[in-house]
Amino acid sequence: MKSIILYSSNTGNTKKIAEVIHTTIPNSVLVNIKDNNEVNLEDYDFIVVGGWIDRATLDTTSLTLVKNIKNKKIGYFFTLGASPDSEHAKNCVDNID
Ligand SMILES: Cc1cc2nc3c(=O)[nH]c(=O)nc-3n(C[C@H](O)[C@H](O)[C@H](O)COP(=O)(O)O)c2cc1C
């Protein structure tokens, strides 16, 4: 199975997590979402999108990508300022789904 991890990161938090995920998925490719146009997502069976939380939802670039991927196995993750256990974090998930 071919896997790709695309991430969006301004201050480096999401990039760090993406790099760790990259090491856990064999033969995966790691790409900064800004370079998304250089890859053909059709070539991948599993697409992971990593973004950062902007006003309680996924940053616009990542959210647009997540919403536009059809007929693929997809996963997403995000980093945020709030605690991952917080109501706010749960609301972020609800806002993305
Ligand atoms: C404009 C802006 C809006 C943000 N909104 C939220 C928010 O609603 N909730 C939250 O928990 N963190 C929020 N954050 C914090 C970021 O999601 C957090 O610092 C994230 O880890 C940044 O990722 P990066 O280092 O990959 O850029 C916001 C940060 C910025 C710059």
Side-chain angles (χ1 to χ4, degrees):
M1 185 164 81
K2 290 182 75 180
S3 306
I4 186 167
I5 302 137
L6 294 145
Y7 68 89
S8 167
S9 186
N10 288 326
T11 62
N13 297 335
T14 314
K15 181 173 187 243
K16 274 188 212 160
I17 303 300
E19 286 169 350
V20 172
I21 291 172
H22 175 47
T23 66
T24 68
I25 304 178
N27 303 317
S28 60
V29 173
L30 180 65
V31 175
N32 187 321
I33 221 162
K34 287 179 192 149
D35 303 322
N36 176 23
N37 54 355
E38 291 171 20
V39 294
N40 183 358
L41 294 182
E42 283 306 313
D43 292 344
Y44 297 91
D45 310 298
F46 180 42
I47 301 169
V48 179
V49 179
W52 54 277
I53 291 299
D54 180 359
R55 290 161 293 167
T57 190
L58 208 54
D59 69 273
T60 309
T61 313
S62 303
L63 189 61
T64 303
L65 184 60
V66 166
K67 297 288 180 194
N68 281 315
I69 295 169
K70 308 280 183 216
N71 305 317
K72 291 278 179 188
K73 193 187 277 191
I74 179 171
Y76 73 83
F77 71 92
F78 56 75
T79 67
L80 74 172
S83 163
D85 297 336
S86 62
E87 267 315 298
H88 180 65
K90 287 181 202 150
N91 289 338
C92 292
V93 173
D94 290 342
N95 291 340
I96 296 162
D97 283 344

